[in-house]
């Protein structure tokens, strides 16, 4: 006797570090119990060779922005005949939002301004002594050269290409570390001439 029907694997609730894996129940020809083994990128989950009941697993401790292949093996309990089904997914690059620290404003100073022309200034709701900046991104490039003030940061003069991309798209984010946890602060840019 063997596992007869094919079954579908689906992935839902994907975050930066977790996902829910669900599969349709399989059956064996003689109606015997079917057990399942979940493998993620070649590693048995939660432990090696642990076939078990159920058709849903909530997976944690995944890496952000990473491709994963899931293989679910159904095995008839009496004959050990198996059938596999696979699915793939990619974790997101999102981080949790801090409950209190926010970006109050993000000003992109126009190139014809008298002060800080072509620079991006971001002001926070809290002083920078309380958290660390891990990454500062504007549109799809990282700002690595900037000055830190009491509760704000100011980029060096952006290249024309990066300035235009930001003036066009008007979005970015910062990754901050607070008490050992990394949070994402999104911002919308306003153009300012002074």
């Amino acid at each position: 006797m063997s596992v007869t029907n094919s079954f579908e694997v689906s992935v839902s609730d994907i975050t930066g570090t977790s996902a829910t894996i669900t599969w349709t129940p399989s059956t064996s020809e003689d109606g015997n119990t079917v057990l399942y083994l979940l493998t993620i990128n070649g590693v048995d989950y939660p432990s090696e060779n642990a076939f078990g009941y159920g058709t849903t697993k909530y997976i944690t401790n995944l890496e952000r922005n990473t491709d994963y292949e899931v293989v679910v093996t159904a095995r008839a309990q009496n004959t050990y005949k198996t059938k596999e089904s696979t699915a793939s997914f990619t974790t997101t690059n999102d981080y949790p939002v801090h409950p209190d620290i926010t970006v109050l404003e993000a000003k992109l100073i126009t190139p014809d301004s008298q002060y800080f022309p072509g620079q991006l200034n971001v002001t926070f709701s809290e002083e920078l002594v309380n958290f660390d900046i891990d990454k500062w991104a504007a549109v799809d490039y990282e700002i690595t050269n900037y000055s830190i003030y009491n509760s704000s940061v100011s980029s060096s003069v952006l290249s024309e290409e990066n300035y235009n991309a930001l003036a066009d798209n008007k979005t970015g984010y910062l990754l901050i570390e607070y008490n050992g946890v990394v949070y994402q602060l999104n911002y919308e840019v306003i153009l300012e001439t002074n």
Side-chain angles (χ1 to χ4, degrees):
M1 300 292 169
S2 64
V3 176
T4 55
N5 70 329
S6 24
F7 58 103
E8 295 293 314
V9 177
S10 60
V11 185
S12 60
D13 304 323
I14 300 166
T15 71
T17 57
S18 65
T20 300
I21 317 296
T22 309
W23 55 94
T24 53
S26 189
T27 54
S28 67
E29 289 172 0
D30 58 1
N32 224 297
T33 305
V34 175
L35 299 176
Y36 304 94
L37 174 67
L38 177 63
T39 303
I40 300 174
N41 284 2
V43 178
D44 293 353
Y45 190 93
S47 58
E48 190 174 343
N49 225 6
F51 279 85
Y53 300 98
T55 56
T56 300
K57 287 269 192 231
Y58 177 64
I59 310 299
T60 57
N61 298 321
L62 300 174
E63 296 292 324
R64 292 177 201 283
N65 203 23
T66 302
D67 296 330
Y68 286 95
E69 183 185 50
V70 176
V71 177
V72 175
T73 305
R75 183 180 78 185
Q77 197 170 10
N78 57 339
T79 63
Y80 298 106
K81 299 277 188 178
T82 61
K83 189 169 275 215
E84 288 183 354
S85 192
T86 62
S88 297
F89 68 98
T90 303
T91 49
T92 65
N93 206 16
D94 296 336
Y95 289 78
V97 174
H98 195 277
D100 302 317
I101 302 172
T102 59
V103 171
L104 295 179
E105 64 181 7
K107 293 181 186 174
L108 182 59
I109 312 301
T110 59
D112 56 350
S113 293
Q114 187 175 353
Y115 305 103
F116 308 108
Q119 290 178 253
L120 175 60
N121 298 319
V122 174
T123 304
F124 302 99
S125 62
E126 202 164 306
E127 293 184 2
L128 276 130
V129 294
N130 296 323
F131 61 91
D132 294 317
I133 294 174
D134 283 357
K135 181 180 180 178
W136 184 2
V139 192
D140 58 358
Y141 60 89
E142 185 174 354
I143 295 174
T144 55
N145 196 357
Y146 56 90
S147 302
I148 295 175
Y149 302 98
N150 190 27
S151 59
S152 64
V153 287
S154 182
S155 74
S156 58
V157 177
L158 301 176
S159 71
E160 187 178 348
E161 179 188 354
N162 289 346
Y163 176 91
N164 290 339
L166 186 55
D168 213 31
N169 186 289
K170 294 186 174 53
T171 61
Y173 67 89
L174 293 108
L175 296 182
I176 64 163
E177 194 169 325
Y178 180 84
N179 285 342
V181 179
V182 177
Y183 296 93
Q184 182 168 329
L185 303 182
N186 296 325
Y187 61 85
E188 295 253 342
V189 165
I190 55 168
L191 295 176
E192 183 172 288
T193 304
N194 60 42

